[in-house]
Amino acid sequence: MRRPLNAAAALLLLACGASAPAPSSAPSAEPVATVPLRQASGQFHTLPVTVSGERTTAILDTGIGLALVSGALCARVGCEIDGEFVGQRMSGQEVRVPLTRLASLEVGGVIQRDVTAAVIDIEGFFPEPDIEAFVGLPFFRDQPFTIDGPGSALVLESEGSLAARAQEGRSLPIRLHQQGPALDTFVRLSLGDGRASAEVLMDTGSRTLILHPRYVELLGVDLEDARRREGEDETGNPYERTYVTLDGPVAFEGAPELRRTGAEVMFQEIIYDGLIGTALLSEFAVTWDLGRERILVAER
């Protein structure tokens, strides 16, 4: 006579005899990290970073090209000058900066080692005395990230959270421009209900939408009541700027539903069609996915 199975044995036999469901292979929708952003000088995103073990504050600047550190920070972490980078400001002015190699740069727990950075005199540029560095796009070449509105957060995306962003937003092509260690991104804008198209630098280091003066005629802009300003930039280069409010819409090309009207525009002689800054970018959740040469844009 067989003895009845006790409950534990029965469960064991059932477990052995039945095929267990396959574990889910779907990636987590949680991002790698979410880093709070503060604002500096009314237009810049700032965030905490760690440079070669030294904790400090940096500006997140997608138009700066590469990482920058102040001379004081460079001295504290013991970096040495190793070469020179020659770049251009949007005015076409040549800029020469010394280069160094940082042992590491950490943002939101993501660490890069042996990072190329320029050394500049940041001191005195900003009223906030704690800003000692800039983080540019090269840090994010293999790390998709989202800036979700003004003064909110930098989201370092995981595979799963990036997929969710792709479902929620529009995928738009961007052009990557590499010059030595510097990296920039350009996106196309449709201006004035398609009257003109512009390839603009995506620059979180600028506030206003900036366009080359040729767009005054292309868009039929009346400059009679425009506000004008002349002066010199931080490097002593003279400029003339004209500010107007556009009557027609501005939209990401290929996504007419993502449009805004009443955008303030600054016209200035520059080497690009234009730049799009935080005034417009901050109205959307924008994800830079450099590996796929695209941005994902969603309404906030």
mmCIF file of all heavy atoms in Angstrom, residues 71-102:
data_model
loop_
_atom_site.group_PDB
_atom_site.id
_atom_site.type_symbol
_atom_site.label_atom_id
_atom_site.label_comp_id
_atom_site.label_asym_id
_atom_site.label_seq_id
_atom_site.Cartn_x
_atom_site.Cartn_y
_atom_site.Cartn_z
ATOM 1 N N GLY A 71 40.841 76.043 -14.891
ATOM 2 C CA GLY A 71 42.241 75.878 -14.537
ATOM 3 C C GLY A 71 42.418 75.467 -13.090
ATOM 4 O O GLY A 71 43.289 74.652 -12.766
ATOM 5 N N ALA A 72 41.574 76.011 -12.200
ATOM 6 C CA ALA A 72 41.672 75.676 -10.780
ATOM 7 C C ALA A 72 41.341 74.213 -10.538
ATOM 8 O O ALA A 72 42.019 73.518 -9.769
ATOM 9 C CB ALA A 72 40.748 76.579 -9.968
ATOM 10 N N LEU A 73 40.287 73.716 -11.194
ATOM 11 C CA LEU A 73 39.923 72.303 -11.034
ATOM 12 C C LEU A 73 41.003 71.410 -11.621
ATOM 13 O O LEU A 73 41.351 70.367 -11.041
ATOM 14 C CB LEU A 73 38.582 72.035 -11.714
ATOM 15 C CG LEU A 73 38.083 70.587 -11.688
ATOM 16 C CD1 LEU A 73 37.939 70.078 -10.257
ATOM 17 C CD2 LEU A 73 36.750 70.464 -12.437
ATOM 18 N N CYS A 74 41.535 71.797 -12.752
ATOM 19 C CA CYS A 74 42.611 71.028 -13.379
ATOM 20 C C CYS A 74 43.797 70.887 -12.441
ATOM 21 O O CYS A 74 44.380 69.810 -12.300
ATOM 22 C CB CYS A 74 43.026 71.713 -14.681
ATOM 23 S SG CYS A 74 44.272 70.838 -15.657
ATOM 24 N N ALA A 75 44.136 71.994 -11.753
ATOM 25 C CA ALA A 75 45.262 71.958 -10.821
ATOM 26 C C ALA A 75 44.968 71.047 -9.633
ATOM 27 O O ALA A 75 45.850 70.306 -9.166
ATOM 28 C CB ALA A 75 45.578 73.364 -10.338
ATOM 29 N N ARG A 76 43.717 71.072 -9.137
ATOM 30 C CA ARG A 76 43.375 70.262 -7.968
ATOM 31 C C ARG A 76 43.439 68.775 -8.252
ATOM 32 O O ARG A 76 43.801 67.984 -7.390
ATOM 33 C CB ARG A 76 41.983 70.625 -7.441
ATOM 34 C CG ARG A 76 41.879 72.006 -6.840
ATOM 35 C CD ARG A 76 40.741 72.092 -5.827
ATOM 36 N NE ARG A 76 39.465 71.606 -6.313
ATOM 37 C CZ ARG A 76 38.571 72.332 -6.991
ATOM 38 N NH1 ARG A 76 38.868 73.590 -7.310
ATOM 39 N NH2 ARG A 76 37.415 71.815 -7.357
ATOM 40 N N VAL A 77 43.047 68.369 -9.462
ATOM 41 C CA VAL A 77 43.028 66.940 -9.771
ATOM 42 C C VAL A 77 44.324 66.478 -10.421
ATOM 43 O O VAL A 77 44.476 65.291 -10.761
ATOM 44 C CB VAL A 77 41.826 66.583 -10.675
ATOM 45 C CG1 VAL A 77 40.522 66.945 -9.982
ATOM 46 C CG2 VAL A 77 41.927 67.258 -12.037
ATOM 47 N N GLY A 78 45.272 67.401 -10.609
ATOM 48 C CA GLY A 78 46.595 67.017 -11.093
ATOM 49 C C GLY A 78 46.661 66.689 -12.564
ATOM 50 O O GLY A 78 47.543 65.928 -12.992
ATOM 51 N N CYS A 79 45.759 67.262 -13.381
ATOM 52 C CA CYS A 79 45.842 66.982 -14.812
ATOM 53 C C CYS A 79 46.951 67.821 -15.451
ATOM 54 O O CYS A 79 47.357 68.856 -14.921
ATOM 55 C CB CYS A 79 44.507 67.258 -15.504
ATOM 56 S SG CYS A 79 43.885 68.931 -15.335
ATOM 57 N N GLU A 80 47.441 67.369 -16.580
ATOM 58 C CA GLU A 80 48.525 68.040 -17.280
ATOM 59 C C GLU A 80 48.086 68.404 -18.691
ATOM 60 O O GLU A 80 47.275 67.702 -19.311
ATOM 61 C CB GLU A 80 49.762 67.135 -17.338
ATOM 62 C CG GLU A 80 50.331 66.785 -15.964
ATOM 63 C CD GLU A 80 51.552 65.893 -16.063
ATOM 64 O OE1 GLU A 80 51.901 65.494 -17.204
ATOM 65 O OE2 GLU A 80 52.153 65.583 -15.023
ATOM 66 N N ILE A 81 48.602 69.504 -19.205
ATOM 67 C CA ILE A 81 48.268 69.933 -20.565
ATOM 68 C C ILE A 81 48.888 68.959 -21.560
ATOM 69 O O ILE A 81 50.058 68.604 -21.476
ATOM 70 C CB ILE A 81 48.765 71.363 -20.822
ATOM 71 C CG1 ILE A 81 48.129 72.327 -19.809
ATOM 72 C CG2 ILE A 81 48.439 71.792 -22.244
ATOM 73 C CD1 ILE A 81 46.611 72.305 -19.799
ATOM 74 N N ASP A 82 48.048 68.535 -22.517
ATOM 75 C CA ASP A 82 48.492 67.533 -23.492
ATOM 76 C C ASP A 82 47.906 67.884 -24.857
ATOM 77 O O ASP A 82 46.949 67.275 -25.316
ATOM 78 C CB ASP A 82 48.049 66.140 -23.042
ATOM 79 C CG ASP A 82 48.497 65.052 -24.001
ATOM 80 O OD1 ASP A 82 49.467 65.276 -24.741
ATOM 81 O OD2 ASP A 82 47.863 63.977 -24.020
ATOM 82 N N GLY A 83 48.466 68.901 -25.504
ATOM 83 C CA GLY A 83 48.019 69.257 -26.844
ATOM 84 C C GLY A 83 47.120 70.476 -26.853
ATOM 85 O O GLY A 83 46.925 71.156 -25.844
ATOM 86 N N GLU A 84 46.531 70.733 -28.014
ATOM 87 C CA GLU A 84 45.705 71.919 -28.228
ATOM 88 C C GLU A 84 44.589 71.583 -29.197
ATOM 89 O O GLU A 84 44.749 70.772 -30.126
ATOM 90 C CB GLU A 84 46.568 73.054 -28.797
ATOM 91 C CG GLU A 84 45.823 74.359 -29.029
ATOM 92 C CD GLU A 84 46.711 75.419 -29.669
ATOM 93 O OE1 GLU A 84 47.145 75.207 -30.824
ATOM 94 O OE2 GLU A 84 46.969 76.447 -29.017
ATOM 95 N N PHE A 85 43.429 72.202 -28.993
ATOM 96 C CA PHE A 85 42.307 72.041 -29.908
ATOM 97 C C PHE A 85 41.986 73.397 -30.515
ATOM 98 O O PHE A 85 41.922 74.411 -29.815
ATOM 99 C CB PHE A 85 41.077 71.493 -29.187
ATOM 100 C CG PHE A 85 39.828 71.466 -30.031
ATOM 101 C CD1 PHE A 85 39.737 70.616 -31.117
ATOM 102 C CD2 PHE A 85 38.760 72.303 -29.746
ATOM 103 C CE1 PHE A 85 38.595 70.598 -31.909
ATOM 104 C CE2 PHE A 85 37.614 72.293 -30.527
ATOM 105 C CZ PHE A 85 37.534 71.425 -31.606
ATOM 106 N N VAL A 86 41.776 73.422 -31.830
ATOM 107 C CA VAL A 86 41.411 74.641 -32.534
ATOM 108 C C VAL A 86 39.988 74.477 -33.040
ATOM 109 O O VAL A 86 39.707 73.614 -33.875
ATOM 110 C CB VAL A 86 42.364 74.936 -33.706
ATOM 111 C CG1 VAL A 86 41.970 76.242 -34.392
ATOM 112 C CG2 VAL A 86 43.811 74.997 -33.220
ATOM 113 N N GLY A 87 39.089 75.298 -32.524
ATOM 114 C CA GLY A 87 37.692 75.250 -32.932
ATOM 115 C C GLY A 87 37.206 76.595 -33.405
ATOM 116 O O GLY A 87 37.982 77.537 -33.576
ATOM 117 N N GLN A 88 35.882 76.684 -33.632
ATOM 118 C CA GLN A 88 35.261 77.924 -34.089
ATOM 119 C C GLN A 88 34.041 78.233 -33.250
ATOM 120 O O GLN A 88 33.261 77.334 -32.922
ATOM 121 C CB GLN A 88 34.827 77.819 -35.554
ATOM 122 C CG GLN A 88 35.936 77.967 -36.577
ATOM 123 C CD GLN A 88 35.384 77.913 -37.988
ATOM 124 O OE1 GLN A 88 34.782 76.926 -38.395
ATOM 125 N NE2 GLN A 88 35.581 78.983 -38.742
ATOM 126 N N ARG A 89 33.893 79.521 -32.912
ATOM 127 C CA ARG A 89 32.649 79.974 -32.340
ATOM 128 C C ARG A 89 31.617 80.111 -33.451
ATOM 129 O O ARG A 89 31.962 80.052 -34.639
ATOM 130 C CB ARG A 89 32.840 81.314 -31.629
ATOM 131 C CG ARG A 89 33.757 81.217 -30.421
ATOM 132 C CD ARG A 89 34.026 82.577 -29.830
ATOM 133 N NE ARG A 89 32.800 83.250 -29.396
ATOM 134 C CZ ARG A 89 32.231 83.085 -28.208
ATOM 135 N NH1 ARG A 89 32.780 82.261 -27.328
ATOM 136 N NH2 ARG A 89 31.131 83.736 -27.880
ATOM 137 N N MET A 90 30.356 80.300 -33.088
ATOM 138 C CA MET A 90 29.324 80.401 -34.120
ATOM 139 C C MET A 90 29.559 81.596 -35.039
ATOM 140 O O MET A 90 29.092 81.619 -36.182
ATOM 141 C CB MET A 90 27.938 80.496 -33.494
ATOM 142 C CG MET A 90 27.636 81.788 -32.768
ATOM 143 S SD MET A 90 25.920 81.842 -32.197
ATOM 144 C CE MET A 90 25.841 83.531 -31.561
ATOM 145 N N SER A 91 30.304 82.604 -34.565
ATOM 146 C CA SER A 91 30.631 83.772 -35.380
ATOM 147 C C SER A 91 31.733 83.478 -36.388
ATOM 148 O O SER A 91 32.049 84.314 -37.233
ATOM 149 C CB SER A 91 31.075 84.914 -34.465
ATOM 150 O OG SER A 91 32.200 84.526 -33.688
ATOM 151 N N GLY A 92 32.341 82.295 -36.304
ATOM 152 C CA GLY A 92 33.442 81.942 -37.186
ATOM 153 C C GLY A 92 34.799 82.236 -36.599
ATOM 154 O O GLY A 92 35.831 81.886 -37.185
ATOM 155 N N GLN A 93 34.808 82.867 -35.427
ATOM 156 C CA GLN A 93 36.061 83.227 -34.784
ATOM 157 C C GLN A 93 36.807 81.972 -34.333
ATOM 158 O O GLN A 93 36.241 81.089 -33.706
ATOM 159 C CB GLN A 93 35.772 84.126 -33.586
ATOM 160 C CG GLN A 93 37.006 84.604 -32.844
ATOM 161 C CD GLN A 93 36.614 85.413 -31.616
ATOM 162 O OE1 GLN A 93 35.460 85.404 -31.197
ATOM 163 N NE2 GLN A 93 37.579 86.099 -31.031
ATOM 164 N N GLU A 94 38.098 81.915 -34.662
ATOM 165 C CA GLU A 94 38.913 80.774 -34.259
ATOM 166 C C GLU A 94 39.227 80.844 -32.770
ATOM 167 O O GLU A 94 39.545 81.900 -32.235
ATOM 168 C CB GLU A 94 40.218 80.762 -35.059
ATOM 169 C CG GLU A 94 41.100 79.556 -34.780
ATOM 170 C CD GLU A 94 42.360 79.557 -35.611
ATOM 171 O OE1 GLU A 94 42.310 79.105 -36.774
ATOM 172 O OE2 GLU A 94 43.394 80.028 -35.097
ATOM 173 N N VAL A 95 39.110 79.699 -32.108
ATOM 174 C CA VAL A 95 39.395 79.608 -30.676
ATOM 175 C C VAL A 95 40.395 78.477 -30.456
ATOM 176 O O VAL A 95 40.198 77.351 -30.942
ATOM 177 C CB VAL A 95 38.109 79.336 -29.868
ATOM 178 C CG1 VAL A 95 38.437 79.181 -28.388
ATOM 179 C CG2 VAL A 95 37.109 80.457 -30.066
ATOM 180 N N ARG A 96 41.463 78.772 -29.749
ATOM 181 C CA ARG A 96 42.465 77.764 -29.412
ATOM 182 C C ARG A 96 42.423 77.506 -27.909
ATOM 183 O O ARG A 96 42.479 78.452 -27.124
ATOM 184 C CB ARG A 96 43.865 78.233 -29.820
ATOM 185 C CG ARG A 96 44.057 78.362 -31.317
ATOM 186 C CD ARG A 96 45.436 78.888 -31.680
ATOM 187 N NE ARG A 96 45.623 78.917 -33.117
ATOM 188 C CZ ARG A 96 46.121 77.913 -33.828
ATOM 189 N NH1 ARG A 96 46.544 76.814 -33.204
ATOM 190 N NH2 ARG A 96 46.253 78.006 -35.140
ATOM 191 N N VAL A 97 42.310 76.240 -27.539
ATOM 192 C CA VAL A 97 42.258 75.898 -26.115
ATOM 193 C C VAL A 97 43.215 74.735 -25.842
ATOM 194 O O VAL A 97 43.343 73.815 -26.660
ATOM 195 C CB VAL A 97 40.837 75.507 -25.677
ATOM 196 C CG1 VAL A 97 39.909 76.701 -25.695
ATOM 197 C CG2 VAL A 97 40.271 74.385 -26.547
ATOM 198 N N PRO A 98 43.907 74.761 -24.703
ATOM 199 C CA PRO A 98 44.757 73.629 -24.334
ATOM 200 C C PRO A 98 43.917 72.424 -23.936
ATOM 201 O O PRO A 98 42.809 72.576 -23.410
ATOM 202 C CB PRO A 98 45.565 74.164 -23.140
ATOM 203 C CG PRO A 98 44.726 75.275 -22.581
ATOM 204 C CD PRO A 98 43.982 75.866 -23.733
ATOM 205 N N LEU A 99 44.444 71.247 -24.209
ATOM 206 C CA LEU A 99 43.752 70.006 -23.884
ATOM 207 C C LEU A 99 44.447 69.276 -22.752
ATOM 208 O O LEU A 99 45.660 69.405 -22.545
ATOM 209 C CB LEU A 99 43.695 69.083 -25.105
ATOM 210 C CG LEU A 99 42.844 69.546 -26.294
ATOM 211 C CD1 LEU A 99 42.961 68.530 -27.429
ATOM 212 C CD2 LEU A 99 41.395 69.740 -25.891
ATOM 213 N N THR A 100 43.655 68.495 -22.029
ATOM 214 C CA THR A 100 44.190 67.641 -20.979
ATOM 215 C C THR A 100 43.466 66.302 -21.031
ATOM 216 O O THR A 100 42.500 66.135 -21.786
ATOM 217 C CB THR A 100 44.019 68.293 -19.590
ATOM 218 O OG1 THR A 100 44.744 67.532 -18.621
ATOM 219 C CG2 THR A 100 42.558 68.365 -19.179
ATOM 220 N N ARG A 101 43.935 65.351 -20.226
ATOM 221 C CA ARG A 101 43.268 64.052 -20.096
ATOM 222 C C ARG A 101 42.825 63.906 -18.656
ATOM 223 O O ARG A 101 43.641 63.928 -17.735
ATOM 224 C CB ARG A 101 44.203 62.902 -20.467
ATOM 225 C CG ARG A 101 44.890 63.017 -21.809
ATOM 226 C CD ARG A 101 43.945 62.838 -22.958
ATOM 227 N NE ARG A 101 43.375 61.497 -23.031
ATOM 228 C CZ ARG A 101 42.610 61.073 -24.040
ATOM 229 N NH1 ARG A 101 42.296 61.899 -25.017
ATOM 230 N NH2 ARG A 101 42.130 59.848 -24.054
ATOM 231 N N LEU A 102 41.524 63.779 -18.461
ATOM 232 C CA LEU A 102 40.980 63.564 -17.124
ATOM 233 C C LEU A 102 40.990 62.073 -16.809
ATOM 234 O O LEU A 102 40.619 61.252 -17.658
ATOM 235 C CB LEU A 102 39.550 64.094 -17.041
ATOM 236 C CG LEU A 102 39.342 65.569 -17.385
ATOM 237 C CD1 LEU A 102 37.851 65.892 -17.364
ATOM 238 C CD2 LEU A 102 40.121 66.461 -16.432
#
